[in-house]
Amino acid sequence: EVTMEPEYGWLCIESIGHAGTNVHVSTTKGSVDSDFSISILTLDGQDVPGCSYQAGTVPGKIRLQEGSYRLEVASSNINDWRSAFSGKGAAAYKAQGQFDIEADMYRYVKIQAPLVNYGVRFAVDNGLYKWFKSFSIDVTESQTRKVLLLENECGWFDAPSVSVVISATNTDGDCFQSSPLNLDTQAGHLYTLHY
């Protein structure tokens, strides 16, 4: 009886970056230093044992048995981005793709992960502080999450639309509030509302 030994090749991760920014990772002692974690899965979605790496521990070279695989890459905050910055949220990134490993060969990849969410902020036009002392917006997402943003703050969301209420307080202390405005959105964008 003849038993065939499995043949192996290597996945070499050259860089992981945010889509559109060309952020390259640095290599230190053979491991990739980044804020991304990776998971290698079979094509049917099963984890490949020993091939899931947390942010900061992704090696530059991974030995794999010959075959086809799926690679999933995500920023380290992919599961808790909504709670960052006192509930205002943070940008989060995720990507996936397929690759093949051939025996005794190296497969080189560069990964660009797009945003899974979008940002909302506002700016105040020059001269308005002559009559108003403060401005803010309330952004409501899916009726379950409400975020108060002051000028120069950014909130992060992933619902297909949000409701925005603009508030301002004048120098006499009188408060003004807009009717709710619906903002239709797409992941990967930063929306700036202007007073």
Side-chain angles (χ1 to χ4, degrees), residues 59-188:
K61 183 169 73 171
I62 301 168
R63 184 176 182 250
L64 291 167
Q65 204 170 331
E66 186 177 29
S68 298
Y69 297 90
R70 200 168 85 210
L71 178 65
E72 292 186 353
V73 176
S75 55
S76 58
N77 67 343
I78 196 66
N79 295 318
D80 60 2
W81 60 264
R82 281 181 182 83
S83 61
F85 300 106
S86 301
K88 291 177 179 60
Y93 301 84
K94 188 173 185 177
Q96 61 180 348
Q98 289 183 219
F99 66 94
D100 295 320
I101 293 294
E102 297 176 37
D104 300 320
M105 300 292 287
Y106 291 88
R107 170 70 63 193
Y108 292 90
V109 296
K110 290 183 180 179
I111 303 159
Q112 295 291 309
L115 278 166
V116 298
N117 53 8
Y118 57 87
V120 176
R121 64 182 181 182
F122 74 91
V124 178
D125 290 339
N126 290 337
L128 286 181
Y129 277 108
K130 181 177 179 181
W131 297 288
F132 294 90
K133 62 182 180 179
S134 68
F135 301 89
S136 65
I137 61 173
D138 278 306
V139 184
T140 303
E141 178 182 41
S142 304
Q143 303 298 322
T144 58
R145 181 172 172 235
K146 187 174 184 177
V147 177
L148 172 67
L149 299 173
L150 303 177
E151 191 174 13
N152 300 318
E153 293 181 336
C154 187
W156 292 90
F157 309 90
D158 66 352
S161 67
V162 290
S163 175
V164 179
V165 174
I166 299 170
S167 300
T169 302
N170 68 13
T171 53
D172 293 331
D174 298 323
C175 296
F176 301 90
Q177 205 171 60
S178 75
S179 299
L181 310 166
N182 287 325
L183 179 64
D184 292 327
T185 55
Q186 290 181 346

Side-chain angles (χ1 to χ4, degrees), residues 2-106:
V2 177
T3 303
M4 297 293 291
E5 289 294 317
E7 300 206 34
Y8 291 87
W10 293 268
L11 173 67
C12 297
I13 299 175
E14 292 186 298
S15 67
I16 301 175
H18 307 90
T21 61
N22 288 325
V23 175
H24 290 284
V25 294
S26 60
T27 302
T28 308
K29 296 182 182 175
S31 64
V32 176
D33 178 21
S34 76
D35 61 349
F36 286 90
S37 61
I38 71 162
S39 294
I40 298 174
L41 305 109
T42 60
L43 290 184
D44 62 357
Q46 301 298 313
D47 284 326
V48 175
C51 290
S52 291
Y53 303 92
Q54 297 302 314
T57 67
V58 180
K61 183 169 73 171
I62 301 168
R63 184 176 182 250
L64 291 167
Q65 204 170 331
E66 186 177 29
S68 298
Y69 297 90
R70 200 168 85 210
L71 178 65
E72 292 186 353
V73 176
S75 55
S76 58
N77 67 343
I78 196 66
N79 295 318
D80 60 2
W81 60 264
R82 281 181 182 83
S83 61
F85 300 106
S86 301
K88 291 177 179 60
Y93 301 84
K94 188 173 185 177
Q96 61 180 348
Q98 289 183 219
F99 66 94
D100 295 320
I101 293 294
E102 297 176 37
D104 300 320
M105 300 292 287
Y106 291 88

